[in-house]
Amino acid sequence: MRDRLLAFQERHPITPERYTKIAFAALVLLSLIVFTGAAVRLTGSGLGCPTWPKCTETSVHSSLDTHGVIEFGNRLLTFVVSAGTVAAWLGVFLVKPARPDLKYLALSLPLGVVLQAVIGGLSVLFQLAPGWVMTHYLVSMVLLIWAFDLWWRSSRSPEEVRAAGTDRTLVIGMRVLYVMAFVAIALGTISTAAGPHAGASGTGEFVGRFDWFGDDTLRLIIHVHGVVVTVLGLLTIAAWFRARTHGSQELRTTLLLTLALMAAQGVLGIVQYRLELPAELVWVHVALATLTWVGFVHGRAAAGRLPERAPAAREMVGQTA
């Protein structure tokens, strides 16, 4: 089997540059399906196909009503995304010179899409229960980590991927921001799960909402979310100032673009709350949140790995111990 694979690789090699484009296409597709999935929910079409894996009890496709077509179209897009992730996985075996360091990362993409399909199906079978819908979105964010890392690493040599960052404080800081950004996104999904967009308004089914604090649930969660995002924004500004003197140009640019996205998010969040969460603005908010998340994933990667402590610092730590 190995000999056949090597022979096929010799006949049909893929350059590192071409593979980077394949990995980028997978990243774009995985981002796109987040946008379309949000559109399904916000148009109230989440139960346009009321069962799974079929669309209805008797058919794999939807009826010709708007909500059925929207939900079924999103399911069809899953096949396109699957093809893109499978291409990224199979393509890594044909890259020449070989990149064995990317093989498991590439495999995670099609496996992740299969997991997402199952979670999406369970969300439908459980009538869009908030916990399942939240899990569906958060797993999408994890998939974007893997897809981004595959693209980013494929565009660099293994030595560059393993390179240490230039500043230990900055590397640790970017990792903290990365975790905080995920917490902010999780709080955002909880806000949506307590809000008016249950996902089935177009088809009339009842969908439960989070009501942990009674009628104040949505207001309190949005308040906590706002505090976390504010702290995240201030720390990101601090990271950008640190990167001006201790970071790479890639990191500085990434942080600047991420801050611009966060500023847009802040303004949009206030406007949509005051307008009582119109679906169109919520969709833009979700799309920008997804791009902002990719920005923090990029920032973590651009900061590099933790550098070794200086010899003097290691000796001081040893003496203290």
Side-chain angles (χ1 to χ4, degrees):
M1 181 67 180
R2 180 179 174 81
D3 291 339
R4 290 181 180 179
L5 180 61
L6 290 174
F8 190 84
Q9 183 188 45
E10 288 296 325
R11 291 195 301 271
H12 307 283
I14 294 178
T15 64
E17 294 76 17
R18 179 172 295 179
Y19 183 76
T20 296
K21 293 178 181 178
I22 294 173
F24 184 73
L27 173 61
V28 170
L29 287 171
L30 286 166
S31 300
L32 179 62
I33 201 165
V34 175
F35 302 159
T36 60
V40 169
R41 182 190 184 110
L42 294 168
T43 57
S45 306
L47 293 176
C49 285
T51 188
W52 184 86
K54 290 183 177 182
C55 185
T56 67
E57 292 291 345
T58 58
S59 176
V60 296
H61 60 80
S62 67
S63 57
L64 294 179
D65 63 273
T66 301
H67 300 291
V69 169
I70 290 173
E71 165 63 4
F72 184 65
N74 190 62
R75 292 190 183 189
L76 287 179
L77 182 60
T78 301
F79 290 99
V80 179
V81 176
S82 299
T85 57
V86 168
W89 171 50
L90 295 178
V92 78
F93 292 96
L94 303 178
V95 176
K96 193 173 181 180
R99 290 295 301 269
D101 57 307
L102 300 179
K103 290 179 180 178
Y104 290 112
L105 191 55
L107 176 60
S108 70
L109 300 190
L111 292 180
V113 171
V114 171
L115 175 62
Q116 277 292 70
V118 173
I119 295 173
L122 290 171
S123 299
V124 171
L125 295 178
F126 284 97
Q127 299 293 295
L128 303 183
W132 283 110
V133 177
M134 282 177 54
T135 301
H136 198 39
Y137 183 76
L138 292 176
V139 171
S140 292
M141 298 301 100
V142 174
L143 260 174
L144 288 178
I145 299 172
W146 297 338
F148 177 87
D149 281 353
L150 181 65
W151 167 71
W152 191 83
R153 294 183 184 193
S154 70
S155 65
R156 290 158 172 78
S157 67
E159 293 74 25
E160 290 176 306
V161 171
R162 292 191 295 267
T166 57
D167 181 70
R168 191 177 185 87
T169 300
L170 192 55
V171 174
I172 294 174
M174 289 309 304
R175 293 183 180 185
V176 170
L177 290 178
Y178 168 70
V179 173
M180 282 190 66
F182 191 83
V183 171
I185 285 177
L187 287 169
T189 64
I190 295 173
S191 299
T192 304
H197 300 294
S201 59
T203 48
E205 287 87 353
F206 171 78
V207 176
R209 317 305 294 139
F210 286 152
D211 57 353
W212 302 328
F213 309 104
D215 293 339
D216 280 340
T217 300
L218 179 60
R219 183 184 62 81
L220 289 173
I221 293 174
I222 288 177
H223 178 72
V224 173
H225 176 64
V227 170
V228 171
V229 170
T230 299
V231 173
L232 177 63
L234 293 174
L235 291 177
T236 304
I237 292 172
W240 177 73
F241 274 106
R242 179 82 180 183
R244 291 180 66 189
T245 54
H246 296 80
S248 65
Q249 180 61 50
E250 179 185 8
L251 179 57
R252 291 193 294 272
T253 302
T254 300
L255 285 171
L256 201 58
L257 291 174
T258 303
L259 282 168
L261 286 169
M262 292 188 72
Q265 282 280 75
V267 173
L268 183 62
I270 293 171
V271 171
Q272 72 175 17
Y273 185 71
R274 292 186 179 279
L275 294 178
E276 299 184 352
L277 304 175
E280 297 82 2
L281 291 185
V282 175
W283 183 86
V284 176
H285 196 63
V286 172
L288 289 178
T290 303
L291 295 176
T292 304
W293 169 240
V294 173
F296 280 108
V297 173
H298 191 168
R300 179 218 58 184
R305 295 173 179 265
L306 276 174
E308 292 290 333
R309 291 181 181 273
R314 288 201 301 269
E315 290 177 10
M316 187 176 297
V317 171
Q319 291 171 3
T320 303

